[in-house]
């Protein structure tokens, strides 16, 4: 497991932090814990708990649906864009497989993106610049103007 943190973001480098996680269930709680620790110094006005929940869901999906014949990792990055917070979760899975589902009440899985869709101001999925898939969400007004 590895992580990096950018302590001094600027317009040329709006990334606030990043972490690289092994595709194992324990990485979900690590992602929540590390995000809370590393975002705290930036004093966001948005709910850190909501962001941690959305990260949990996206990391779970990345682990569940990521695939590669070679060893692989999940990468989480978070950025400040003006007053908004954008979080990206990258995995080597196929981008076309990301879709919002509407599971039945008895279904045990399938609510992750539904939660992200209901909490975030927006979300997106597509090809990752790292290869594979990226799923991201944006929380507007995460910082005062």
């Amino acid at each position: 497991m590895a992580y990096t943190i950018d302590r001094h973001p600027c317009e040329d480098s709006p990334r606030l932090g990043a972490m690289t996680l092994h595709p194992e269930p324990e990485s979900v709680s690590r992602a929540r814990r590390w995000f809370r620790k590393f975002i705290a110094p930036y004093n966001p006005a948005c709910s850190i708990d909501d962001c941690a929940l959305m990260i949990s869901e996206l990391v779970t999906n990345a682990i569940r649906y990521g695939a590669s014949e070679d060893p692989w990792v999940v990468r989480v990055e978070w950025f400040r864009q003006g007053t908004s917070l954008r979080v990206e979760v990258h995995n080597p899975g196929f981008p076309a497989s990301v879709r919002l589902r509407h599971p039945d009440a008895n279904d045990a899985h399938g609510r992750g993106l539904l939660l992200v869709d209901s909490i975030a101001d927006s979300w997106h999925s597509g090809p990752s610049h790292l290869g594979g898939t990226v799923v991201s969400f944006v929380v507007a007004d995460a910082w005062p103007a």
Side-chain angles (χ1 to χ4, degrees):
M1 287 158 288
Y3 65 87
T4 58
I5 209 68
D6 294 332
R7 296 275 179 210
H8 304 288
C10 63
E11 286 188 34
D12 292 340
S13 178
R15 192 178 80 194
L16 300 178
M19 63 183 111
T20 303
L21 304 157
H22 292 290
E24 57 193 29
E26 297 80 19
S27 290
V28 176
S29 61
R30 287 184 187 118
R32 282 193 309 267
R33 193 170 50 252
W34 288 351
F35 175 77
R36 283 187 172 127
K37 177 180 178 179
F38 296 137
I39 197 69
Y42 297 104
N43 297 316
C46 61
S47 169
I48 293 174
D49 289 339
D50 284 353
C51 292
L53 172 63
M54 292 187 285
I55 288 169
S56 291
E57 295 300 330
L58 295 185
V59 169
T60 298
N61 286 351
I63 292 168
R64 185 177 188 127
Y65 300 111
S68 176
E69 292 181 15
D70 299 319
W72 58 279
V73 295
V74 174
R75 181 149 176 93
V76 181
E77 298 180 307
W78 51 99
F79 303 83
R80 182 172 179 169
Q81 295 180 303
T83 61
S84 297
L85 170 67
R86 186 179 87 244
V87 176
E88 298 179 350
V89 178
H90 301 261
N91 75 68
F94 188 64
S97 65
V98 177
R99 64 182 177 22
L100 185 64
R101 294 178 44 197
H102 297 281
D104 293 330
N106 295 333
D107 290 343
H109 303 285
R111 291 174 181 77
L113 281 178
L114 201 54
L115 281 170
V116 172
D117 187 59
S118 67
I119 297 170
D121 290 293
S122 64
W123 68 275
H124 170 79
S125 68
S128 168
H129 68 280
L130 302 172
T133 300
V134 61
V135 181
S136 63
F137 66 83
V138 172
V139 177
D141 301 323
W143 288 276

